[in-house]
């Protein structure tokens, strides 16, 4: 059974940094992609970034490019989202999600289609105060 568990959310001030973790389990091979998404109250869920667990290829949407960095630790089956220079508008519930996918899916940004994601974590709340 595939499971995704996010952690690391909390209350921070504008300009602070925070690192989210997504612990994964249950995958039979490394051919899957992990994506980070977020949803603010009253807004649609939006994609942030995704990574191939096969080779570490990454993709970023424009929403947080340059401030957020995705990475992985294959030994721990964990994906991280390093968030720097946080702004109040980054306040949202952050989700990690997964789909069985090759490297091309990540490089082409197709992993940011949340309808295609097969598994989701419960989310972790990030609140950025001004």
């Amino acid at each position: 059974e595939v499971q995704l568990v996010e952690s690391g959310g909390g209350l921070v001030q504008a300009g602070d940094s925070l690192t989210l973790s997504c612990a994964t389990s249950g995958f039979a091979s490394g051919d899957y992609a992990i994506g980070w998404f977020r949803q603010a109250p009253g807004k649609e869920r939006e994609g942030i970034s995704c990574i191939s667990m096969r080779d570490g290829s990454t993709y970023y949407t424009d929403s947080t490019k340059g401030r957020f960095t995705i990475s992985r630790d294959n030994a721990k089956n964990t994906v991280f989202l390093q968030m720097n220079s946080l702004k109040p508008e980054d306040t949202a519930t952050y989700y990690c999600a997964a789909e069985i996918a090759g490297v091309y899916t990540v490089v082409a940004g197709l992993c940011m289609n949340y309808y295609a994601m097969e598994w989701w974590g419960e989310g972790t709340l990030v609140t950025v105060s001004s």
Side-chain angles (χ1 to χ4, degrees):
E1 178 187 6
V2 171
Q3 289 188 326
L4 306 175
V5 180
E6 303 97 337
S7 62
L11 172 63
V12 297
Q13 294 187 330
D16 285 351
S17 297
L18 199 62
T19 299
L20 305 182
S21 300
C22 173
T24 76
S25 62
F27 290 98
S29 73
D31 290 317
Y32 63 101
I34 298 294
W36 282 101
F37 298 80
R38 67 183 180 183
Q39 188 165 21
K43 295 187 177 181
E44 291 190 356
R45 192 166 298 191
E46 68 168 339
I48 299 170
S49 181
C50 53
I51 189 167
S52 166
M53 297 303 281
R54 170 60 65 189
D55 72 349
S57 294
T58 60
Y59 180 88
Y60 294 88
T61 63
D62 290 338
S63 62
T64 59
K65 190 180 294 184
R67 294 190 299 124
F68 291 10
T69 302
I70 193 170
S71 62
R72 82 198 199 285
D73 182 338
N74 275 16
K76 297 181 179 180
N77 295 319
T78 300
V79 172
F80 305 97
L81 184 68
Q82 171 72 38
M83 307 185 293
N84 297 326
S85 302
L86 284 162
K87 306 174 182 180
E89 50 264 42
D90 294 318
T91 294
T93 297
Y94 285 70
Y95 300 89
C96 63
E99 62 171 330
I100 300 301
V103 174
Y104 175 78
T105 299
V106 172
V107 173
L110 301 176
C111 50
M112 290 284 86
N113 175 8
Y114 58 77
Y115 290 111
M117 289 299 180
E118 299 173 68
W119 300 276
W120 289 84
E122 295 295 317
T124 186
L125 178 63
V126 174
T127 304
V128 184
S129 64
S130 58

